[in-house]
Amino acid sequence: MIEHIQLLRNVGLFDNLSPPAQTALTPFTLIYGENARGKTTLAAVLRSLATGNPRLVLERHRLGAQHPPHVVFRHTGGTVVFQNGAWTQPLPDVAIFDDAFVSANVCSGIELQTAHRQNLHELILGAQGVALNSALQGHVARIDQHNAALRQLADAIPAGALGPYKVDAFCDLEADPEIDRKIQEAERRLAAARSADSIRQRSGFQAIRLPDFDIDGIDDILRRTLADLEAAAAERVRSHIAKLGRGGENWVSEGMALIAPASEGNEGEVCPFCAQDLAGSDLIAHYRAYFSQAYEDLKAAIRQTGIAVRDTHAGDIPSAFERDVRTAAQAHEFWKDFAELPEIDIDTAAVARQWNAARESVLQQLRAKAAAPLEPMSLTQETRQAIHDYRARSAEVAALSERLVGANAHLEVVKEQAAADDLSALSTDLAKLRAQKARYEPEVLPHCDNYLTEKAAKTATEALRTQARVALDQYRQQIFPAFETAINDYLRRFGASFRLGEVQSVNTRSGSSASYVVVINQQNVDVTAEAGPSFRNTLSAGDRNTLALAFFFASLEQDPNLASKIVVIDDPMTSLDDHRTLRTREEIMALATRVRQVIVLSHSKPFLCSLWEQADRNTSIALRINRAAVGSEIAVWDVRSDSISEHDKRHELVRAYLQVANPAREREVAQALRPILESFMRVAYPENFPPGTLLGPFIGICDQRVGGPNEILSAADIAELRLLLNYANRFHHDTNPAWQTAAINDAELSDFAERALIFASRR
């Protein structure tokens, strides 16, 4: 409970106020003040104390004051101070109804805005619901922070790396150990699609071959000889022929063919040149073997083998090989962009060198054999090594040729795909693969990892948001129906001609808000409608204030800590009619029994006086904000003096005079007699003496009705009233121009005063 306002310095109209001890606040405190005396300022200070918001005090810094606001309140738990722009501690148990409450939660003038419904949402939820809603909004705000961070992290990812992907899809791409191969295949397929016409007309690879050396055949020729022709004899023939000089061998060969003709008729063979008997010449036998057909066949075989080697491994053959290699290289250059192909790494110069070396080595040995046909020979180790080296090169060429020819099947597939593929789809596929590779490049990987980390954090926050929303929704399902019942109960108590319907919570992007309709004549009015019936044109000022009061009281009704509340109510009856003012007083008095403290501020004396009449004097105090020499002050208010009506004051004045004559007040007593009689008539005969009626015409009506069924006054009463009126009129300006100087006799005045009181009290 707030026990005492100890200091109000430099706040609004309060210059340096330290109210006396007798102004200490009680559980039920009434504070009267004329307009512009400081009630609203005091309510704002209390709201600042409740919320801890220093702005509400700072914005009311006293104009012209050099020093900042300074406020001290004593409460049950100690002392709370506002100094240096802040409270030492807030008092959250303070609930305040004032213009700020109406403007924040109900409407601004006649306008109902989104902010009003959002604030009303919190009001309905209460402390527990606000905590749940705050938790939800905290998660929502955190998600906004995640989104901002994700945008920054996304911007940090090199734009060129994303390809056709959005950031989320890009960062979710998985690493592929075969990505390079797939990219290459995609590039080739796209290139093939772009060159479909050229591909369709292009052939594949032809086989590349190198001839082999028949080592066994060459060795056989080299080893061959003649059994009946010894090498020594053959050497003797060659030596003899050599002596004959050039053409000697041909000459001897032709001569051997002439022996038979020259020997006809002789017992033995004779020399065709000298006719001598050849029987004793062993050289002739050697000649016969040397120039035999077998020998000739041997030499021919040696010669043919050499020719075969030369024809197979010389002439155009090497050139054809190089041409085949060039053709394969050209085909490779064309197809390499469209298919996976073996590299053509043939060193044709090295092949030529080893080929020539093997060929020349073989031919050299064949030439040696031709020179000595009867001498058995074999390929030398050097020749065999040359052939081995050549064969190694030939095997490499053959293997490459096999791979190239084997690729032709794939090239046919490439042709078919190129004819059918969609360039756009292939381009997209390639872009995706390149992006997938870029995702794990060193300059991209950390950014994606940071993005995914933040995204995971956002997902976790979204889960918390979902949990908080479920908890809040469950709470709303309980509190909103109860609040609708409570608000309509208070509207009924306040005598409102409308009710609220469909009170519910609505989630929007900007936050949760309360939604409701006004029910008038069983018709729902959309309070947010832009045209037609709406909040601004169906509720009067009194209705709006009644609705605000109902919201306030209903929110207190839902508060589980109601018993500890300090309730401050500032001018609650603004724009209310007499009936609603009466019901407001009743609700305030009922509330006072349920809360810790009620403080009511008002500029209406009758309203506060009526509350004072019902209050328990032991727990109540009435204060007044008065004009002081500088600003305003707070003092004890004598409610009784302001509670007595003018009629009561006139009665008291006349009775006092009759008890003790006071010459100084004789004229006041004389002037009070007629109003006493008029007030009595309005109460005693309200139908016949309505406001504005004068006693003279009223007496005339009474005369007319004497003795009739509708008689008002008896004849004796009429006569007495006329005498009393005639005397009283002497002291009023409308009936006596000299009313201020009319003579007054104490005995006469006492007589008429006593008769007037008797007349006004016997009915």
Side-chain angles (χ1 to χ4, degrees):
M1 187 181 78
I2 299 175
E3 297 178 343
H4 191 212
I5 302 173
Q6 294 183 323
L7 178 64
L8 286 173
R9 179 181 294 163
N10 299 326
V11 182
L13 291 174
F14 301 107
D15 177 53
N16 188 14
L17 176 64
S18 295
Q22 57 266 34
T23 62
L25 280 60
T26 60
F28 190 75
T29 299
L30 304 179
I31 302 178
Y32 166 74
E34 298 174 351
N35 289 326
R37 284 290 98 216
K39 298 189 310 301
T40 303
T41 296
L42 187 56
V45 171
L46 291 171
R47 182 174 292 279
S48 175
L49 174 62
T51 61
N53 182 3
R55 182 179 61 83
L56 298 174
V57 175
L58 295 176
E59 66 186 8
R60 293 182 178 273
H61 184 198
R62 180 173 171 77
L63 297 177
Q66 295 182 353
H67 300 290
H70 186 190
V71 180
V72 180
F73 286 144
R74 187 179 76 243
H75 63 96
T76 306
T79 301
V80 61
V81 179
F82 182 90
Q83 195 171 23
N84 299 323
W87 291 97
T88 54
Q89 68 179 76
L91 288 183
D93 284 336
V94 178
I96 302 174
F97 177 87
D98 59 359
D99 289 342
F101 174 88
V102 177
S103 178
N105 301 287
V106 184
C107 61
S108 296
I110 62 174
E111 296 298 328
L112 176 63
Q113 299 172 351
T114 301
H116 296 127
R117 290 183 286 120
Q118 290 176 338
N119 293 339
L120 177 60
H121 184 271
E122 292 196 4
L123 181 69
I124 295 174
L125 291 180
Q128 179 182 352
V130 168
L132 291 173
N133 190 49
S134 297
L136 173 60
Q137 296 309 316
H139 296 317
V140 171
R142 181 61 183 140
I143 289 174
D144 289 338
Q145 295 173 1
H146 285 310
N147 288 333
L150 286 173
R151 286 192 293 270
Q152 293 179 350
L153 293 172
D155 291 340
I157 298 174
L162 295 175
Y165 289 107
K166 298 294 184 182
V167 173
D168 287 311
F170 176 76
C171 291
D172 287 336
L173 292 173
E174 296 182 355
D176 188 345
E178 297 189 358
I179 190 64
D180 290 330
R181 178 186 62 78
K182 291 180 179 179
I183 289 176
Q184 188 178 45
E185 289 179 356
E187 289 174 339
R188 288 169 177 163
R189 191 161 179 177
L190 178 60
R194 289 171 175 167
S195 306
D197 291 339
S198 299
I199 287 176
R200 186 179 62 255
Q201 301 171 9
R202 189 79 178 200
S203 60
F205 292 98
Q206 302 297 321
I208 305 174
R209 295 185 179 87
L210 284 174
D212 196 9
F213 288 93
D214 185 3
I215 294 179
D216 293 339
I218 295 171
D219 261 340
D220 181 65
I221 291 297
L222 291 176
R223 286 194 299 267
R224 284 177 62 183
T225 184
L226 296 176
D228 57 348
L229 182 63
E230 296 179 356
E235 180 59 31
R236 184 177 175 187
V237 171
R238 284 196 295 273
S239 298
H240 179 72
I241 291 175
K243 293 178 182 180
L244 296 179
R246 185 175 181 182
E249 184 171 352
N250 290 334
W251 180 78
V252 173
S253 177
E254 292 174 358
M256 290 297 293
L258 296 176
I259 291 177
S263 300
E264 274 187 44
N266 297 319
E267 293 181 0
E269 292 180 338
V270 297
C271 175
F273 178 70
C274 67
Q276 293 184 18
D277 187 3
L278 297 177
S281 176
D282 57 353
L283 189 57
I284 291 299
H286 294 328
Y287 279 154
R288 288 185 186 281
Y290 189 85
F291 291 107
S292 68
Q293 186 60 45
Y295 185 64
E296 289 299 326
D297 290 343
L298 176 59
K299 291 194 294 183
I302 295 171
R303 185 171 56 255
Q304 289 301 321
T305 300
I307 291 172
V309 170
R310 187 176 60 250
D311 290 347
T312 303
H313 295 278
D316 293 336
I317 300 303
S319 299
F321 166 71
E322 291 186 355
R323 187 167 52 253
D324 289 345
V325 172
R326 285 196 301 273
T327 300
Q330 292 170 357
H332 188 281
E333 183 65 23
F334 176 82
W335 288 108
K336 67 180 177 60
D337 293 333
F338 314 127
E340 179 72 28
L341 298 175
E343 291 296 326
I344 298 179
D345 54 356
I346 299 175
D347 187 349
T348 55
V351 171
R353 286 193 302 270
Q354 293 175 339
W355 195 0
N356 289 336
R359 182 183 66 244
E360 290 305 317
S361 181
V362 170
L363 290 176
Q364 183 179 1
Q365 287 205 253
L366 287 174
R367 283 193 290 270
K369 178 66 175 178
L374 300 179
E375 183 178 350
M377 299 179 184
S378 64
L379 290 172
T380 64
Q381 185 62 35
E382 291 77 6
T383 301
R384 291 181 182 277
Q385 184 61 46
I387 293 174
H388 175 75
D389 294 341
Y390 167 74
R391 279 184 168 178
R393 290 287 182 179
S394 178
E396 293 176 359
V397 171
L400 175 61
S401 175
E402 183 179 0
R403 293 196 298 273
L404 291 175
V405 173
N408 286 340
H410 182 57
L411 297 184
E412 290 300 320
V413 175
V414 171
K415 287 184 179 183
E416 294 176 3
Q417 290 176 339
D421 277 339
D422 184 311
L423 281 174
S424 176
L426 291 176
S427 298
T428 301
D429 291 343
L430 178 58
K432 288 181 177 180
L433 290 171
R434 287 174 174 169
Q436 188 174 4
K437 179 180 179 181
R439 161 67 177 84
Y440 291 93
E441 294 293 339
E443 62 272 16
V444 177
L445 180 61
H447 297 301
C448 289
D449 290 345
N450 292 338
Y451 183 88
L452 290 176
T453 299
E454 186 66 26
K455 185 179 178 181
K458 177 187 174 183
T459 300
T461 305
E462 287 175 335
L464 294 176
R465 178 195 60 187
T466 300
Q467 295 174 3
R469 179 167 290 146
V470 169
L472 179 59
D473 287 344
Q474 291 175 345
Y475 180 78
R476 287 169 176 165
Q477 291 172 3
Q478 300 173 1
I479 197 67
F480 272 81
F483 186 84
E484 180 176 341
T485 300
I487 191 74
N488 284 324
D489 183 48
Y490 276 104
L491 288 174
R492 178 187 56 76
R493 296 185 199 178
F494 289 136
S497 60
F498 63 92
R499 298 291 184 268
L500 295 190
E502 301 177 10
V503 180
Q504 55 190 331
S505 175
V506 178
N507 291 325
T508 64
R509 184 65 184 88
S510 59
S512 300
S513 63
S515 172
Y516 61 90
V517 297
V518 173
V519 182
I520 301 177
N521 296 332
Q522 306 301 317
Q523 299 295 315
N524 289 352
V525 176
D526 182 0
V527 295
T528 61
E530 294 292 334
S534 66
F535 184 90
R536 64 179 178 275
N537 55 35
T538 57
L539 298 183
S540 66
D543 288 336
R544 293 193 294 273
N545 201 59
T546 299
L547 179 61
L549 278 170
F551 278 146
F552 181 73
F553 278 94
S555 66
L556 292 176
E557 191 77 26
Q558 305 302 313
D559 194 331
N561 299 318
L562 179 63
S564 62
K565 284 292 182 182
I566 299 171
V567 180
V568 180
I569 302 176
D570 181 19
D571 270 340
M573 69 293 171
T574 303
S575 301
L576 298 184
D577 54 26
D578 291 342
H579 174 68
R580 293 184 185 177
T581 299
L582 172 62
R583 298 309 302 267
T584 300
R585 291 198 304 266
E586 292 175 351
E587 294 303 327
I588 290 175
M589 296 308 301
L591 179 65
T593 64
R594 304 174 61 195
V595 299
R596 190 165 193 179
Q597 184 177 32
V598 171
I599 302 174
V600 183
L601 303 96
S602 180
H603 69 283
S604 173
K605 285 183 179 179
F607 179 76
L608 293 178
C609 288
S610 62
L611 287 175
W612 181 257
E613 290 176 0
Q614 302 176 60
D616 181 357
R617 298 294 188 273
N618 295 322
T619 59
S620 304
I621 189 171
L623 304 177
R624 178 170 182 158
I625 302 177
N626 297 323
R627 180 171 60 84
V630 179
S632 296
E633 65 177 6
I634 297 177
V636 175
W637 176 32
D638 183 4
V639 182
R640 182 179 177 280
S641 63
D642 286 320
S643 298
I644 299 175
S645 67
E646 293 300 318
H647 178 69
D648 293 333
K649 290 180 180 179
R650 285 191 289 268
H651 264 271
E652 186 175 346
L653 173 66
V654 174
R655 286 195 300 271
Y657 181 80
L658 290 175
Q659 292 176 1
V660 179
N662 184 355
R665 308 200 69 177
E666 287 177 346
R667 194 166 298 277
E668 290 181 58
V669 173
Q671 291 174 346
L673 297 181
R674 195 175 79 178
I676 289 175
L677 295 172
E678 290 174 343
S679 296
F680 168 71
M681 293 302 171
R682 289 194 186 96
V683 175
Y685 307 102
E687 293 181 1
N688 304 110
F689 200 90
T693 303
L694 300 178
L695 284 174
F698 175 70
I699 292 174
I701 295 174
C702 291
D703 279 334
Q704 297 173 6
R705 297 184 182 182
V706 170
N710 56 350
E711 181 181 86
I712 302 173
L713 295 175
S714 65
D717 288 338
I718 294 173
E720 177 65 8
L721 179 59
R722 181 176 284 115
L723 291 174
L724 293 173
L725 177 61
N726 289 337
Y727 177 79
N729 281 341
R730 293 164 55 187
F731 306 101
H732 289 272
H733 66 88
D734 58 341
T735 52
N736 181 15
W739 64 280
Q740 291 179 323
T741 59
I744 298 176
N745 179 274
D746 175 63
E748 185 181 36
L749 176 59
S750 297
D751 177 55
F752 278 102
E754 185 174 1
R755 289 164 59 186
L757 292 180
I758 293 172
F759 189 89
S761 61
R762 62 183 178 177
R763 297 290 178 181

